Amino acid sequence: MTEVCVKRAYRYRFYPTDAQAAELSRTFGCVRKVYNLALAARTQAWARQERVNYNATSAMLTAWKKTEELAYLNDVSSVPLQQCLRHLQTAFTNFFGKRAKYPRFKSRKKSRKSAEYTTSGFRFRDGKLLLAKMTEPLDIVWSRPLPEEAKPSTVTVSQDPAGRWFVSILCDDPGIGPLVLTDAAVGIDVGLDHLLTLSTGEKIANPRHERRDRSRLAWTQRRLAKKAKGDGANRRKARRKVARIHARIADRRRDHLHKLTTRLVRENQTLVIEDLTVRNMVKNRSLARAISDAAWSDFRDMLEYKARWYGRDVVAVDRFFPSSRLCSACGTLREKMPLHVRTWTCDCGTAHDRDVNAARNLLAAGLAVTVCGAGVRPQRSTPGGQSAAKQKTSQREP
């Protein structure tokens, strides 16, 4: 069997010198400018019913560099500029394939500051990374080692709203591969009171990362709102303080989800989840903050790509499956299950915890689908029954 290496990005924080920070800031601005110019050109061509591809925009970039107005594009490495044109081509490919909306222009204040370098734009040797147009390697904090004999294919440098600098190194990771097969399977029911409830009966508490910093965040946001509008220094400082709190919350949430999903994937061969429409659920103004803080979508994304890495199976059960109203012991379906009912007893005499029972029903449905091979979405059991998604969005944050 041929061993296939998985591409994996390793993200590190680094501390640039003043000269490096200035060079990267210029590169970010040039990348944004070229992207917007190319998008405008392609939009105008599309209005004339003409198609412009990457090769055409690459030729435009060469012409732009020769003009007096855009001569400053020659001061930065050409590699990130070419890469942003490739990213624009990918955006249009996804748009024409009906997988994404029409590409949007990049804003100086709101867009992500990043630049991508391919192998011709950097040199990685002896644990030191040197980017094009720079004389010194980046001062990277190697929080974890790269794979042995790693050969990076791309390097992405970025700066987050909190002012922190990061470098993401993409390389082959031979350490990722299918794990030993196991018979273990688990059903996972997400919630707000408990982040996850497993079919084994285990309940994982919701850390509520945002609530821990809510008062501090509100105070800094009020301070920001009182600053004069514009691009003044005081407003920039206040905006950065808000961003630092958001970054701290996001870091804690991401770390917790990574540890949780890695553990679940390593312990189980089959993982059954509910196919919730989180995008619609956050429209509930009473629950939007709690659902966003729980990060159910991020949890599912991590679970799915780690399952692909390690040869595990993730099964998504249809959101209309009545997992809460179905007895996992005898299969009796109750007509109603009010949300305040957290424990109930079936006519067969089995006492149920609402969330544990739902997780067990999800597991049974997922295993049935896996055995039958009929897909990953069991059909709705009873027409007119309340969907699981609606039940989730009706819960109040405690």
Side-chain angles (χ1 to χ4, degrees):
M1 182 180 295
T2 304
E3 184 177 354
V4 179
C5 289
V6 176
K7 289 284 187 181
R8 183 175 183 178
Y10 287 80
R11 186 167 176 255
Y12 303 95
R13 188 172 179 180
F14 74 97
Y15 296 87
T17 62
D18 293 340
Q20 290 174 339
E23 175 65 27
L24 290 174
S25 296
R26 284 194 298 269
T27 303
F28 295 159
C30 291
V31 166
R32 183 178 61 252
K33 181 67 174 179
V34 170
Y35 186 94
N36 289 340
L37 287 174
L39 177 56
R42 296 186 67 149
T43 301
Q44 294 170 3
W46 193 30
R48 300 191 301 267
Q49 297 184 349
E50 299 177 2
R51 298 291 292 269
V52 176
N53 57 15
Y54 162 75
N55 294 330
T57 54
S58 181
M60 292 178 187
L61 175 58
T62 303
W64 292 334
K65 288 183 176 181
K66 295 179 181 179
T67 62
E68 182 179 356
E69 181 183 2
L70 299 175
Y72 61 86
L73 295 177
N74 294 288
D75 297 336
V76 302
S77 173
S78 62
V79 176
L81 305 184
Q82 294 289 347
Q83 285 300 102
C84 82
L85 296 179
R86 292 188 177 93
H87 294 164
L88 180 61
Q89 177 65 34
T90 302
F92 271 101
T93 301
N94 292 332
F95 168 70
F96 289 123
K98 297 183 179 180
R99 295 184 295 272
K101 295 182 179 179
Y102 192 82
R104 296 183 297 179
F105 291 95
K106 292 183 179 294
S107 168
R108 183 173 65 89
K109 293 183 179 181
K110 297 182 180 180
S111 297
R112 180 171 179 261
K113 299 178 181 179
S114 66
E116 184 176 277
Y117 294 80
T118 56
T119 52
S120 60
F122 68 89
R123 185 178 65 189
F124 183 74
R125 188 176 301 169
D126 298 330
K128 295 183 179 180
L129 180 64
L130 180 65
L131 300 179
K133 298 287 185 178
M134 293 187 183
T135 58
E136 299 179 4
L138 299 181
D139 182 14
I140 301 176
V141 179
W142 298 102
S143 54
R144 55 178 174 168
L146 285 172
E148 294 183 3
E149 300 181 0
K151 295 182 180 179
S153 56
T154 60
V155 168
T156 303
V157 182
S158 61
Q159 185 184 27
D160 68 1
R164 303 179 300 177
W165 295 86
F166 293 96
V167 57
S168 181
I169 302 176
L170 183 67
C171 59
D172 291 330
D173 192 343
I176 295 179
L179 298 174
V180 178
L181 295 178
T182 177
D183 295 332
V186 65
I188 305 172
D189 181 66
V190 298
L192 297 179
D193 187 17
H194 292 89
L195 181 62
L196 302 178
T197 301
L198 308 183
S199 56
T200 59
E202 179 184 358
K203 292 188 175 183
I204 299 172
N206 186 356
R208 303 185 187 277
H209 302 285
E210 185 269 341
R211 176 178 288 184
R212 291 170 55 183
D213 285 332
R214 184 176 297 177
S215 59
R216 179 70 177 176
L217 179 61
W219 183 80
T220 54
Q221 287 175 330
R222 287 195 297 268
R223 294 292 298 270
L224 173 61
K226 294 179 181 179
K227 303 300 180 184
K229 304 297 182 181
D231 197 25
N234 288 337
R235 187 170 181 83
R236 286 199 303 270
K237 292 178 183 178
R239 185 185 298 116
R240 182 153 295 184
K241 288 182 180 180
V242 174
R244 285 174 180 169
I245 297 177
H246 279 297
R248 185 165 62 245
I249 295 172
D251 288 346
R252 287 201 303 260
R253 181 186 299 122
R254 188 184 307 110
D255 179 71
H256 181 257
L257 290 179
H258 270 301
K259 293 176 180 177
L260 191 57
T261 52
T262 299
R263 178 202 135 192
L264 291 173
V265 168
R266 290 186 181 277
E267 293 178 352
N268 301 278
Q269 181 66 37
T270 304
L271 305 101
V272 184
I273 58 177
E274 194 172 9
D275 186 24
L276 299 177
T277 52
V278 180
R279 179 180 299 180
N280 293 334
M281 295 165 67
V282 295
K283 294 179 181 179
N284 185 324
R285 296 179 60 185
S286 301
L287 290 170
R289 171 181 282 178
I291 293 175
S292 299
D293 190 29
W296 294 338
S297 294
D298 292 342
F299 168 77
R300 177 172 177 173
D301 291 341
M302 291 181 185
L303 202 67
E304 289 179 341
Y305 81 71
K306 290 180 182 180
R308 289 193 299 270
W309 280 0
Y310 299 111
R312 303 308 200 191
D313 300 318
V314 175
V315 180
V317 175
D318 188 80
R319 66 183 66 93
F320 295 110
F321 180 70
S323 58
S324 297
R325 297 185 290 116
L326 188 66
C327 175
S328 58
C330 67
T332 301
L333 181 65
R334 300 192 62 170
E335 294 185 2
K336 295 182 180 181
M337 180 66 65
L339 289 170
H340 67 273
V341 177
R342 310 313 300 174
T343 59
W344 58 282
T345 303
C346 180
D347 295 338
C348 66
T350 305
H352 292 294
D353 178 282
R354 182 193 185 98
D355 297 331
V356 175
N357 178 66
R360 289 173 178 170
N361 285 326
L362 289 174
L363 174 61
L367 292 179
V369 169
T370 303
V371 173
C372 298
V376 296
R377 291 189 175 186
Q379 297 298 316
R380 189 186 312 188
S381 297
T382 55
Q386 187 180 18
S387 70
K390 291 180 180 178
Q391 292 181 7
K392 296 290 183 187
T393 53
S394 301
Q395 296 180 9
R396 295 280 178 180
E397 181 185 6

